[in-house]
Amino acid sequence: MARTWLAVPLAGALIGGTMITASVLSFSPPSQAVPAPPTPYVVVAVNDLGMHCSQEDFSEICILPPYNTLRAQVIRPGEEPEIMDGDVTVSYTIPEHSRSSDKTNFWTYAPQLFGVNLAPDVGLTGHGLSGNIPVVPGEEYFEVTGIPVLSTDDSGRLDPYPIGVVTVTGNLGTATTRTVVPVSSEMSCSLCHGDPGHSVAHDILADHDAMHGTDLLNQKPVLCAGCHADPALGTTGVPGIPMLSHAMHTSHAPHAASAGLDNNCYACHPGIRTQCQRDIHKTNGVECVSCHGDMAAVGNPNRMPWADQPRCSDCHDKPGFDFEQPGKLFKDSIGHGGVRCVTCHGSPHAIGPAITPVDNAQAIALQGHAGPINTCTTCHTQQPDESFFHKVDD
Amino acid sequence: MHTTRYHRQIALLGSMPALIAASVAMAALPPYIVKDLGTHAGFDTKLEPGSVGTSIAAGHVVGYAVTSLEHRNFHGFRWNGAGLADMPVLAGDEHSIAFGVNAAGDAVGISYKLGELASHGVLWGAGGRVTTLGNLEPHDINSAGAIAGSMPVNGGLGTSRATKRVGNVNTDLGTLGGMSSMAFAISESNWVVGQSLLANNKTTRAFLVASGAMIDLGTHGGTHSRALDISGLSVVGIADMTGNLPRATLWTLTSAGTLSTKTNLGTLPGAINSAAHGVNSAGTIVGNSGDAAFVWSAGTMSDLNTSIDPTSGWHLTKATGIDDAGRIVGVGKHLGLQRAFVLTPRVPADLDADGAVGATDLALLLGAWGGSDPTFDLNGDGSVGAPDLAILLGAWGS
C-alpha cells in the first residue's frame, strides 16, 4: 500500500493538566537533524504501555505475571513511503535478557495460577524472549504479546529498561532498531504490608481473609484476577466481586497518604526507583494524577480499567489539529497516512523526549535527535513541499 | 594449645546441666549452618527485596542490598563477618552491584544509574581502594586480578562484547557470530566463559575462550545455553534439553581448552527446570532447581533446604556461588523477607551449630557420653567416647 506523506508529525508538546493551546505545538523542521543513513526499511518499535509490572516470586500471590508487548511499524522509504503490512519478516530479540526461568519461579506456579503448563521461558501467549513478530491481521503493524522478560538481565543487573532489538528483513534488505521493553517488579506493597516473620504476600492474604471472610492463606498461590475481573489479564472474575482495579484503588485510597511519598501512586505502581512516568510530561511537571485523576477517580466503579484512560485531547487543543482517533486511545490510534501515534511519539509514559536516555535512543538513531520523530527525511526521501498538519487523515 | 583450652573449659561444666539435658533431645545436625547477611544498616526491614549474595571466594562474600527507603537504591556490599560494608557508587550514579570477588577479597561490579546507556565498571580493592574500569562491566576476577566482563557496543543499547581484562588491557573476545556476547567468569588460567548470540541473533549459546577462539559449548538437544562459572576444567551453567527445558549443566574441558564432556545434572524432584550458577575446585556445583537452591556433588543433586535447620525460618531459593572450602552464597526468604545467605559446612564438632567449637559443644558431647547418638559420635564408631572427645578438642576454636 503506497501512501503520500505530506510532512511530519507533531513535535513534542507540553501539557499541564489543563487545556492549552501553546505555540509549542507548531511544527518547524529541526535544522540540526542528521539524516539517517539510507536503509531499505525504517522500522520503529515501541512497547504498548511504557511500563509493565511483573513479580518475580509467585509462590504465594500473583498480581501480574511476566508479560510484555512489542509493536512495530515497518516503512519503506520513498518520496511516497509505504507502510508494510506483509512481505517482510520482523523479528525480536532481547540480547541481554535471553532467559527468565532462572530469575523467577513463575513457571513453577503457572499451572496452579493459570491452569497451563508452559515451557520455561515461554510466556502466556506462547512467545519467548526472541522470535518473530507477526503482522496484526487487517492492520499495518506487527505485534508480539506475552514476552516473559524480567527486570534482571543475564548478568544479574537490575534493569527495568531492557533493550530489545527488532529486525526487519525483506526483499530490499535488512534494517534494525532498538527499543525499550520496560518491566519492573517494584510494586512496593512492603511499604504498608508485612508482619515480622511473614512475607508481604502472606500479610496481604491475611488482611484479605480478615476483612472479607476469605481463606486465601490456605489457597496459595492466589491469582488476584481469579476472583477480581481484570481486563489486563482477560479474566472475567466472579460476579458480584469488584474488578481488581476498582477493589485495589478504593480499598487503598484511605491509606495512600500514609506511604509518605512525593508521588503516592508509586506506593504500588513502579515506582520510586523505576519511574514509570518518565516522559516529556514528567519534565514539565505533569504527574500521574494530572492525567489519571486521584484514586477515587481511578477506582470509580463506572470506569472500565485499562480502557477508560486519559486522552491527549483532554489537555491539548490546537485548532486544526487532531489527536486520538474517535473511540481509540493514543496507544492505538493512527494518523498521517496510517502511521501510529506511538511510532513517532513513543510509548505512553515514555513519550519523547523522555528523562531516560535509553528511551530516547531510538529517535536519535533514526533522526539524530531525541523527541518525536519529526524529521521528514526519516521516511521521505525528498523533503515534502507541503506543510504537515496533525490530522488523522493527513 | 588444645590442652590449655580444654582445662579452661572443663571448669565450666558445672554450669551446663541444662545444655546437657537439651542434648539428649538433639537429632542429627544438618550439614550446613545458615547465616542471614541482613541488609545495609538503617534501612526499613519491611522492604523487599532486601539483599542478594552473588559471589564467594575464600570466605569473602559480596552481593548487593537495598540502602534506603526513600530512593530504593541498591549498593554493593562486602560481608565483613558482622555486617555489610558498603561499596559506594561513583559520583552521579545511584546503584552499585558487586558481581565477583577473588580469594584476596578484591571485588568487581558496576556503578550505574537506571535508564542511562551504560554502566561504570568498578574494582573495589580489598584494602578499600576504588578503581574505575570505564565502560567495562566486570563480572568476575581471579587471583591474579584478571577480569571477565562485558563491554557495551552500539552505545550501550542492549548489546555488548565479552571482554577479558589482563592488567590494563581489555581484549574483545568476539561472539559466536551474533551481535552480542557477555562474559561471566574467569578461571585461574584466564579462561573465560559466558554467553553469545549465534549468527541468527535469536539463539544464545554458552561459550568458552581458552587460548584460542571462542567455542560453542552446545546444549542437550535444545536451543539455548549459558555458561556461568568456571573452576579449573569444570564449567557450569544452563543448557536446554529437547523441548527447551533448561537444565543445570556441567561441561568438562581438556587441558588444551577443548570440550571433553557435557553432563545434564537433572532437576530436584518435581521441578521443571534447573540452573547451575557456581562450581568450586572440588567440582561441587550449586544452583537452583524450580524454587529451591541445590548442591550437586558426585552425581547427586540435593535440595539445600534439607541441609539446614528446618526451624531456621529460611527457604533457600538460589545458590549463586561456592568457594573451595564449600561455603555457599545465595539468596532466599528468611522469615518472609528476601535475604542473602551464606551456608557454612558444619564442623562435626560444632554441636550447637553456633559456628565455632567451644565450651557448649564440649558440654553437649559429655552429656551424650557413653551413648550412641550419631550426632555426637564424631568418628562414627557407634558410641560416644574418648575418640570423639579427641576430635572435638582437636577442632577447638575452629
Side-chain angles (χ1 to χ4, degrees):
Chain A
M1 178 185 299
R3 297 180 183 275
T4 299
W5 288 17
L6 298 180
V8 296
L10 173 68
L14 306 178
I15 65 171
T18 57
M19 196 74 76
I20 58 173
T21 56
S23 61
V24 293
L25 292 175
S26 300
F27 169 71
S28 60
S31 58
Q32 80 282 17
V34 177
T39 59
Y41 304 102
V42 172
V43 54
V44 182
V46 296
N47 170 256
D48 61 336
L49 301 178
M51 183 55 67
H52 278 251
C53 300
S54 175
Q55 302 153 246
E56 294 181 356
D57 178 11
F58 294 87
S59 62
E60 298 179 273
I61 191 170
C62 175
I63 299 174
L64 286 168
Y67 192 109
N68 217 298
T69 295
L70 266 181
R71 292 172 173 171
Q73 275 201 302
V74 179
I75 297 163
R76 182 183 59 77
E79 283 190 60
E80 295 184 352
E82 177 186 4
I83 302 175
M84 309 297 291
D85 56 5
D87 299 328
V88 292
T89 298
V90 183
S91 63
Y92 71 101
T93 185
I94 311 172
E96 296 184 344
H97 293 251
S98 68
R99 193 181 287 280
S100 289
S101 61
D102 58 326
K103 304 165 188 168
T104 175
N105 55 22
F106 171 71
W107 283 274
T108 297
Y109 295 100
Q112 294 166 265
L113 290 166
F114 293 97
V116 292
N117 287 302
L118 297 169
D121 302 302
V122 173
L124 286 167
T125 58
H127 299 291
L129 290 151
S130 63
N132 287 339
I133 310 180
V135 69
V136 177
E139 301 284 351
E140 294 179 320
Y141 69 99
F142 299 75
E143 180 183 68
V144 57
T145 61
I147 303 169
V149 64
L150 293 173
S151 58
T152 301
D153 77 7
D154 289 344
S155 74
R157 189 171 80 117
L158 299 173
D159 178 18
Y161 314 113
I163 300 294
V165 179
V166 175
T167 301
V168 55
T169 303
N171 293 334
L172 302 178
T174 297
T176 293
T177 192
R178 293 160 192 262
T179 191
V180 174
V181 194
V183 58
S184 176
S185 61
E186 194 188 1
M187 292 177 277
S188 305
C189 311
S190 56
L191 283 169
C192 301
H193 290 279
D195 285 331
H198 293 115
S199 68
V200 169
H202 180 102
D203 189 47
I204 290 170
L205 297 177
D207 284 353
H208 193 285
D209 286 347
M211 294 175 66
H212 302 289
T214 51
D215 188 29
L216 301 180
L217 280 175
N218 291 314
Q219 298 173 35
K220 298 179 188 176
V222 174
L223 174 65
C224 301
C227 295
H228 297 276
D230 184 6
L233 294 178
T235 61
T236 55
V238 174
I241 294 180
M243 299 181 83
L244 183 60
S245 176
H246 298 154
M248 293 291 284
H249 287 97
T250 54
S251 64
H252 290 85
H255 310 292
S258 64
L261 304 177
D262 292 337
N263 181 345
N264 288 333
C265 300
Y266 286 166
C268 305
H269 297 270
I272 304 167
R273 182 172 60 240
T274 303
Q275 298 191 68
C276 166
Q277 157 65 339
R278 58 193 187 280
D279 66 9
I280 180 65
H281 299 97
K282 172 71 175 177
T283 303
N284 289 282
V286 177
E287 301 293 345
C288 309
V289 296
S290 305
C291 299
H292 292 276
D294 61 15
M295 290 182 71
V298 180
N300 185 333
N302 294 319
R303 170 184 172 268
M304 177 55 71
W306 301 92
D308 293 338
Q309 297 286 14
R311 301 179 63 78
C312 304
S313 55
D314 292 343
C315 296
H316 293 275
D317 178 23
K318 182 177 177 64
F321 271 54
D322 288 341
F323 293 93
E324 300 97 334
Q325 292 177 279
K328 288 190 175 182
L329 297 174
F330 163 77
K331 68 185 179 70
D332 297 318
S333 290
I334 62 171
H336 194 48
V339 177
R340 298 169 64 77
C341 299
V342 293
T343 296
C344 297
H345 290 276
S347 297
H349 307 109
I351 292 172
I355 61 175
T356 35
V358 289
D359 286 295
N360 295 327
Q362 181 170 236
I364 292 172
L366 286 168
Q367 62 179 359
H369 63 86
I373 296 170
N374 57 4
T375 300
C376 304
T377 51
T378 301
C379 299
H380 293 264
T381 52
Q382 297 291 324
Q383 178 73 33
D385 295 329
E386 300 178 61
S387 58
F388 168 69
F389 301 98
H390 199 258
K391 303 286 287 184
V392 168
D393 58 356
D394 179 36
Chain B
M1 192 70 170
H2 295 154
T3 303
T4 302
R5 287 181 176 168
Y6 170 64
H7 284 272
R8 187 186 307 144
Q9 299 304 332
I10 284 292
L12 299 174
L13 290 182
S15 61
M16 297 295 179
L19 287 172
I20 292 172
S23 71
V24 175
M26 290 181 70
L29 296 173
Y32 287 99
I33 300 166
V34 59
K35 175 67 180 177
D36 184 338
L37 301 190
T39 62
H40 287 295
F43 107 106
D44 185 327
T45 55
K46 287 168 59 179
L47 202 57
E48 64 175 1
S51 57
V52 176
T54 58
S55 184
I56 184 168
H60 299 286
V61 178
V62 297
Y64 61 94
V66 69
T67 61
S68 75
L69 179 63
E70 182 180 4
H71 299 295
R72 297 290 170 104
N73 291 348
F74 283 86
H75 278 200
F77 70 73
R78 182 194 306 279
W79 169 248
N80 61 17
L84 304 185
D86 184 33
M87 292 177 166
V89 302
L90 302 179
D93 289 338
E94 295 175 345
H95 307 276
S96 64
I97 297 177
F99 288 126
V101 64
N102 65 13
D106 297 321
V108 292
I110 58 172
S111 171
Y112 69 115
K113 185 175 181 179
L114 294 180
E116 297 289 336
L117 293 176
S119 303
H120 306 104
V122 184
L123 167 61
W124 293 280
R129 180 177 179 181
V130 177
T131 304
T132 60
L133 301 175
N135 285 335
L136 175 66
E137 298 184 11
H139 209 271
D140 194 20
I141 181 170
N142 68 15
S143 297
I147 291 170
S150 305
M151 187 72 83
V153 293
N154 285 310
L157 279 173
T159 46
S160 53
R161 286 295 183 92
T163 299
K164 178 168 66 176
R165 181 182 179 90
V166 179
N168 292 322
V169 177
N170 293 330
T171 301
D172 181 345
L173 300 179
T175 74
L176 292 171
M179 67 172 76
S180 188
S181 60
M182 307 171 81
F184 298 134
I186 186 166
S187 72
E188 293 300 307
S189 53
N190 287 359
W191 292 3
V192 174
V193 298
Q195 68 182 42
S196 172
L197 282 169
L198 300 183
N200 66 10
N201 284 321
K202 295 179 183 176
T203 303
T204 300
R205 284 293 174 83
F207 76 74
L208 164 74
V209 176
S211 54
M214 181 179 286
I215 63 171
D216 183 346
L217 293 177
T219 68
H220 304 294
T223 304
H224 305 285
S225 58
R226 305 174 63 200
L228 299 173
D229 197 16
I230 180 170
S231 180
L233 300 177
S234 299
V235 177
V236 297
I238 313 166
D240 288 344
M241 295 173 57
T242 302
N244 287 336
L245 298 175
R247 290 291 181 268
T249 297
L250 166 65
W251 293 272
T252 61
L253 311 174
T254 69
S255 58
T258 59
L259 180 61
S260 175
T261 66
K262 181 171 51 189
T263 304
N264 177 344
L265 304 185
T267 68
L268 293 173
I272 60 172
N273 66 313
S274 59
H277 297 278
V279 58
N280 68 8
S281 62
T284 305
I285 297 167
V286 295
N288 71 288
S289 179
D291 203 19
F294 75 76
V295 60
W296 183 95
S297 181
T300 300
M301 180 182 286
S302 303
D303 185 343
L304 280 167
N305 291 286
T306 65
S307 298
I308 60 172
D309 179 357
T311 66
S312 65
W314 273 98
H315 178 73
L316 311 177
T317 54
K318 181 188 290 186
T320 54
I322 180 169
D323 70 5
D324 288 345
R327 290 169 289 221
I328 297 168
V329 66
V331 63
K333 274 189 175 180
H334 188 207
L335 301 175
L337 300 176
Q338 182 185 307
R339 288 290 183 272
F341 67 77
V342 169
L343 301 180
T344 303
R346 182 184 304 281
V347 175
D350 181 21
L351 299 172
D352 64 349
D354 68 348
V357 179
T360 311
D361 306 301
L362 178 60
L364 291 169
L365 182 79
L366 295 177
W369 198 269
S372 59
D373 188 330
T375 299
F376 310 102
D377 180 17
L378 302 181
N379 70 342
D381 68 354
S383 65
V384 179
D388 306 303
L389 178 61
I391 291 172
L392 187 149
L393 295 176
W396 197 268
S398 62

Coordinates of all heavy atoms in Angstrom, one line a residue, chain B residues 16-54:
Chain B
M16 N 26.5 -26.4 83.2 CA 26.0 -26.8 81.9 C 24.9 -27.8 82.0 O 24.6 -28.5 81.0 CB 27.1 -27.4 81.0 CG 28.2 -26.4 80.7 SD 27.5 -25.0 79.7 CE 29.0 -24.0 79.5
P17 N 24.2 -28.0 83.1 CA 23.2 -29.1 83.2 C 22.1 -28.9 82.2 O 21.6 -29.9 81.6 CB 22.7 -29.1 84.6 CG 23.0 -27.7 85.1 CD 24.3 -27.3 84.4
A18 N 21.7 -27.7 82.0 CA 20.6 -27.5 81.0 C 21.0 -27.9 79.6 O 20.2 -28.5 78.9 CB 20.2 -26.0 81.0
L19 N 22.2 -27.5 79.2 CA 22.7 -27.9 77.9 C 22.8 -29.4 77.8 O 22.5 -30.0 76.7 CB 24.0 -27.2 77.7 CG 24.0 -25.7 77.4 CD1 25.4 -25.1 77.4 CD2 23.2 -25.4 76.1
I20 N 23.3 -30.0 78.8 CA 23.5 -31.5 78.7 C 22.1 -32.1 78.6 O 21.9 -33.0 77.8 CB 24.2 -32.0 80.0 CG1 25.6 -31.4 80.0 CG2 24.1 -33.5 80.1 CD1 26.4 -31.7 81.3
A21 N 21.1 -31.6 79.3 CA 19.8 -32.2 79.2 C 19.2 -32.0 77.8 O 18.6 -32.9 77.2 CB 18.9 -31.6 80.2
A22 N 19.5 -30.8 77.3 CA 19.0 -30.5 76.0 C 19.6 -31.4 74.9 O 18.9 -31.7 73.9 CB 19.2 -29.0 75.6
S23 N 20.8 -31.7 75.1 CA 21.5 -32.5 74.1 C 20.8 -33.9 73.9 O 20.9 -34.4 72.8 CB 23.0 -32.7 74.5 OG 23.0 -33.6 75.6
V24 N 20.2 -34.4 74.9 CA 19.5 -35.7 74.8 C 18.5 -35.6 73.7 O 18.3 -36.6 72.9 CB 18.9 -36.1 76.1 CG1 18.1 -37.4 76.0 CG2 20.0 -36.2 77.2
A25 N 17.8 -34.4 73.5 CA 16.8 -34.3 72.6 C 17.3 -34.0 71.2 O 16.5 -33.9 70.2 CB 15.8 -33.3 73.0
M26 N 18.5 -33.7 71.0 CA 19.0 -33.2 69.7 C 19.0 -34.4 68.7 O 19.5 -35.5 69.0 CB 20.4 -32.7 69.9 CG 20.5 -31.3 70.6 SD 22.1 -30.7 70.7 CE 22.4 -30.2 69.0
A27 N 18.6 -34.0 67.5 CA 18.6 -35.0 66.4 C 19.9 -34.8 65.7 O 20.7 -33.9 66.0 CB 17.4 -34.8 65.5
A28 N 20.1 -35.6 64.6 CA 21.3 -35.4 63.8 C 21.3 -34.0 63.2 O 20.3 -33.5 62.8 CB 21.3 -36.5 62.7
L29 N 22.5 -33.4 63.3 CA 22.5 -32.0 62.9 C 22.6 -31.8 61.4 O 23.3 -32.6 60.7 CB 23.7 -31.3 63.6 CG 23.6 -31.3 65.1 CD1 24.9 -30.7 65.7 CD2 22.4 -30.4 65.5
P30 N 22.0 -30.8 60.8 CA 22.1 -30.6 59.4 C 23.5 -30.2 59.0 O 24.3 -29.6 59.8 CB 21.1 -29.5 59.1 CG 20.9 -28.8 60.5 CD 21.1 -29.9 61.5
P31 N 23.9 -30.5 57.8 CA 25.3 -30.3 57.4 C 25.7 -28.9 57.2 O 26.9 -28.6 57.0 CB 25.5 -31.1 56.1 CG 24.1 -31.3 55.6 CD 23.2 -31.3 56.8
Y32 N 24.8 -27.9 57.1 CA 25.2 -26.5 56.9 C 24.6 -25.6 58.0 O 23.5 -25.9 58.4 CB 24.6 -26.0 55.5 CG 25.4 -26.6 54.3 CD1 24.9 -27.7 53.6 CD2 26.6 -26.1 53.9 CE1 25.5 -28.2 52.5 CE2 27.3 -26.6 52.8 CZ 26.7 -27.6 52.1 OH 27.4 -28.1 51.0
I33 N 25.3 -24.6 58.3 CA 24.9 -23.6 59.2 C 24.5 -22.4 58.3 O 25.3 -22.0 57.4 CB 26.0 -23.1 60.2 CG1 26.4 -24.3 61.0 CG2 25.5 -22.0 61.0 CD1 27.6 -24.1 61.8
V34 N 23.3 -21.8 58.4 CA 22.9 -20.8 57.5 C 23.0 -19.4 58.3 O 22.6 -19.3 59.4 CB 21.5 -21.0 57.0 CG1 20.5 -21.1 58.1 CG2 21.1 -19.9 56.0
K35 N 23.5 -18.4 57.6 CA 23.7 -17.1 58.1 C 22.9 -16.1 57.3 O 23.1 -16.0 56.0 CB 25.2 -16.7 58.2 CG 25.5 -15.3 58.6 CD 25.1 -15.1 60.1 CE 25.4 -13.7 60.6 NZ 25.0 -13.5 62.0
D36 N 22.1 -15.3 57.9 CA 21.4 -14.2 57.2 C 22.3 -13.0 57.2 O 22.7 -12.5 58.2 CB 20.1 -13.9 58.0 CG 19.2 -12.8 57.3 OD1 19.8 -12.0 56.5 OD2 18.0 -12.8 57.6
L37 N 22.6 -12.5 56.0 CA 23.6 -11.4 55.9 C 22.9 -10.0 56.1 O 23.6 -9.0 56.1 CB 24.3 -11.4 54.5 CG 25.0 -12.7 54.2 CD1 25.9 -12.4 53.0 CD2 25.9 -13.1 55.4
G38 N 21.6 -10.0 56.2 CA 20.9 -8.8 56.5 C 20.9 -7.8 55.4 O 21.0 -8.2 54.2
T39 N 20.9 -6.6 55.7 CA 20.9 -5.5 54.6 C 21.8 -4.4 55.1 O 22.3 -4.5 56.2 CB 19.5 -5.0 54.4 OG1 19.0 -4.4 55.6 CG2 18.5 -6.1 53.9
H40 N 21.9 -3.4 54.3 CA 22.7 -2.2 54.7 C 22.0 -1.6 56.0 O 20.8 -1.6 56.0 CB 22.8 -1.2 53.6 CG 23.7 -1.6 52.5 ND1 25.1 -1.8 52.7 CD2 23.5 -1.9 51.2 CE1 25.6 -2.1 51.6 NE2 24.7 -2.2 50.7
A41 N 22.8 -1.1 56.9 CA 22.3 -0.6 58.1 C 21.3 0.6 57.9 O 21.5 1.4 57.0 CB 23.5 -0.1 59.0
G42 N 20.3 0.6 58.7 CA 19.4 1.8 58.7 C 18.3 1.7 57.7 O 17.5 2.6 57.6
F43 N 18.2 0.6 57.0 CA 17.0 0.5 56.1 C 15.8 -0.1 56.7 O 15.9 -0.8 57.7 CB 17.5 -0.3 54.8 CG 16.9 -1.6 54.7 CD1 15.9 -1.9 53.8 CD2 17.3 -2.6 55.5 CE1 15.4 -3.1 53.7 CE2 16.8 -3.9 55.4 CZ 15.8 -4.1 54.5
D44 N 14.7 0.1 56.2 CA 13.4 -0.4 56.7 C 13.4 -1.9 56.5 O 13.4 -2.4 55.3 CB 12.3 0.3 56.0 CG 10.9 -0.1 56.6 OD1 10.8 -1.3 57.1 OD2 10.0 0.7 56.7
T45 N 13.3 -2.7 57.5 CA 13.4 -4.1 57.4 C 12.2 -4.7 56.7 O 12.2 -5.9 56.4 CB 13.5 -4.8 58.8 OG1 12.5 -4.4 59.6 CG2 14.9 -4.4 59.4
K46 N 11.1 -3.9 56.5 CA 10.0 -4.5 55.8 C 10.2 -4.5 54.3 O 9.4 -5.1 53.6 CB 8.7 -3.6 56.1 CG 8.2 -3.8 57.5 CD 7.2 -2.8 57.9 CE 6.0 -2.8 56.9 NZ 5.0 -1.7 57.3
L47 N 11.2 -3.7 53.9 CA 11.3 -3.5 52.5 C 11.8 -4.8 51.8 O 12.7 -5.5 52.3 CB 12.4 -2.4 52.2 CG 12.4 -1.7 50.9 CD1 11.0 -1.1 50.6 CD2 13.4 -0.7 50.9
E48 N 11.3 -5.2 50.7 CA 11.8 -6.3 50.0 C 11.8 -6.0 48.5 O 11.0 -5.2 48.0 CB 11.0 -7.6 50.2 CG 9.5 -7.5 49.7 CD 8.8 -8.8 49.9 OE1 9.4 -9.8 50.4 OE2 7.7 -8.9 49.5
P49 N 12.7 -6.5 47.7 CA 13.8 -7.4 48.1 C 14.9 -6.7 48.9 O 15.1 -5.5 48.7 CB 14.4 -7.8 46.8 CG 14.1 -6.7 45.8 CD 12.8 -6.1 46.3
G50 N 15.5 -7.4 49.8 CA 16.4 -6.8 50.7 C 17.9 -6.9 50.3 O 18.6 -6.0 50.1
S51 N 18.3 -8.2 50.1 CA 19.7 -8.4 49.7 C 19.9 -9.6 48.9 O 19.0 -10.6 49.0 CB 20.6 -8.4 51.0 OG 20.1 -9.5 51.9
V52 N 20.9 -9.7 48.1 CA 21.2 -10.8 47.3 C 22.7 -11.1 47.4 O 23.5 -10.1 47.2 CB 20.9 -10.5 45.8 CG1 21.3 -11.7 44.9 CG2 19.4 -10.3 45.7
G53 N 23.1 -12.3 47.7 CA 24.5 -12.7 47.6 C 24.9 -13.2 46.3 O 24.2 -14.0 45.7
T54 N 26.0 -12.7 45.7 CA 26.3 -13.0 44.3 C 27.6 -13.9 44.2 O 27.7 -14.6 43.2 CB 26.5 -11.7 43.5 OG1 27.5 -10.9 44.1 CG2 25.2 -10.9 43.4

